[in-house]
């Protein structure tokens, strides 16, 4: 693990693997981090590091990186500027980009800025966007207020009652992992992240038509925060894309190999 200061923030990152293939940059989801993803990876980046370098980092306000100073810094377009600054500082020319939820959104915004420097995209559990985003933003504000007034206990109670995505329906440990992550969170930092997410949305639909690089879209069913409708719409907008849905754990467990094959193809 290393740290680097970019855009007035200290970022914790690791750059592992070896080989001459195009480096792969991965971004985690909201309230997650490299450490929490290590405990439950949707795509196992350690397996992708065979034959290529893999860059992972804690986004601003997350994990071991610095805090959000203003809520607007949590906008996905702003997080993309952080990612681009890290890519440039490490001297990476061509890259493949990927991520989960917030990381997917960050990758899309970064790809529009980087243009033909991005060779491939892996977009995992795309979040609410466009018309479906307003309700989610309202929910984030409610969650921020609940954390500020009641602490993380309010979110823990909600997590215990919220049904998991379809691939985790029979996973007794799924809720426990979510609950433990919330219990370990700092109240002020968590509220700031929710408010930051209130500034976020995917790029405009017409802008996404310009992203012609090969794109793999991995989505699951049964999750209103990551609706299949967003993944399907991205599949319609991105001209060189494939959408893969997972409704079972067995289907979810194919995502790492699918991602490795996609990057190697």
């Amino acid at each position: 693990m290393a740290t680097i200061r970019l855009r007035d923030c200290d970022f914790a990152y690791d750059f592992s693997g070896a080989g001459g293939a195009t480096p792969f940059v991965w971004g985690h989801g909201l309230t997650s981090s490299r450490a929490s993803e290590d405990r439950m990876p949707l795509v196992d980046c350690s397996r992708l590091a065979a034959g290529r370098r893999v860059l992972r980092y804690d986004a601003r306000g997350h994990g071991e990186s610095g805090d959000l100073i203003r809520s607007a810094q949590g906008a996905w377009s702003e997080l993309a500027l952080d990612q681009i600054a890290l890519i440039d500082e490490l001297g990476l020319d061509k890259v493949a980009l990927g991520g989960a939820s917030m990381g997917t959104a960050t990758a899309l915004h970064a790809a529009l800025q980087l243009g033909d420097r991005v060779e491939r995209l892996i977009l995992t559990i795309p979040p609410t966007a466009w018309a479906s985003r307003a309700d989610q933003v309202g929910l984030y504000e409610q969650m921020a207020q609940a954390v500020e007034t009641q602490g993380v206990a309010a979110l823990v109670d909600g997590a215990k009652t919220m049904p998991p995505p379809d691939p985790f329906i029979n996973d007794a440990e799924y809720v426990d992992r979510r609950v433990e992550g919330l219990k370990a969170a700092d109240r002020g930092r968590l509220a700031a992240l929710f408010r930051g997410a209130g500034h976020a949305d995917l790029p405009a639909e017409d802008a996404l038509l310009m992203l012609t690089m090969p794109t793999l879209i991995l989505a699951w069913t049964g999750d209103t925060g990551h609706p299949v409708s967003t993944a399907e719409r991205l599949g319609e907008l991105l001209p060189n894309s494939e959408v893969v849905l997972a409704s079972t754990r067995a289907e979810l467990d194919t995502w790492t190999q699918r991602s490795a094959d996609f990057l190697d193809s």
Side-chain angles (χ1 to χ4, degrees), residues 4 6-7 11 80-91:
I4 191 169
L6 303 164
R7 303 184 73 232
F11 290 91
L81 295 179
D82 292 339
Q83 184 175 93
I84 292 169
L86 180 57
I87 289 169
D88 287 344
E89 186 67 22
L90 294 178

Side-chain angles (χ1 to χ4, degrees), residues 65-89:
S65 291
D67 292 336
L68 292 174
I69 304 303
R70 302 177 304 279
S71 61
Q73 292 176 324
W76 294 331
S77 56
E78 287 294 314
L79 298 184
L81 295 179
D82 292 339
Q83 184 175 93
I84 292 169
L86 180 57
I87 289 169
D88 287 344
E89 186 67 22

Side-chain angles (χ1 to χ4, degrees), residues 30-229:
L30 182 68
T31 75
S32 186
S33 65
R34 292 169 301 141
S36 60
E37 282 197 331
D38 285 342
R39 293 190 291 270
M40 190 182 69
L42 302 182
V43 173
D44 187 349
C45 286
S46 66
R47 287 174 53 188
L48 304 185
R52 75 186 69 250
R53 304 294 302 277
V54 175
L55 172 61
R56 301 167 66 222
Y57 65 101
D58 290 339
R60 186 186 296 258
H62 296 75
E64 298 177 286
S65 291
D67 292 336
L68 292 174
I69 304 303
R70 302 177 304 279
S71 61
Q73 292 176 324
W76 294 331
S77 56
E78 287 294 314
L79 298 184
L81 295 179
D82 292 339
Q83 184 175 93
I84 292 169
L86 180 57
I87 289 169
D88 287 344
E89 186 67 22
L90 294 178
L92 306 182
D93 182 18
K94 299 287 187 177
V95 292
L97 300 179
S101 189
M102 182 183 79
T104 272
T106 301
L108 285 170
H109 280 282
L112 286 172
Q113 295 287 328
L114 292 171
D116 60 7
R117 291 175 63 187
V118 179
E119 293 188 351
R120 290 176 181 268
L121 290 170
I122 298 178
L123 309 177
T124 307
I125 55 170
T128 55
W130 311 303
S132 67
R133 190 66 187 164
D135 288 344
Q136 188 70 28
V137 167
L139 178 61
Y140 282 143
E141 178 57 30
Q142 293 175 26
M143 295 167 74
Q145 293 181 14
V147 169
E148 288 172 334
T149 59
Q150 304 172 48
V152 298
L155 298 186
V156 168
D157 292 341
K160 290 178 179 178
T161 60
M162 184 179 297
D166 288 344
F168 293 102
I169 284 178
N170 296 316
D171 184 349
E173 297 180 358
Y174 177 81
V175 173
D176 291 340
R177 289 191 293 264
R178 291 174 58 190
V179 166
E180 289 306 312
L182 289 172
K183 286 182 177 179
D186 175 81
R187 174 193 293 198
R189 213 171 197 222
L190 197 57
L193 291 182
F194 291 139
R195 290 225 165 83
H199 294 270
D201 203 348
L202 291 189
E205 292 185 345
D206 57 350
L208 292 175
L209 297 172
M210 296 185 292
L211 298 180
T212 59
M213 66 285 291
T215 301
L216 177 63
I217 303 170
L218 303 170
W220 57 31
T221 59
D223 182 354
T224 57
H226 305 90
V228 170
S229 59

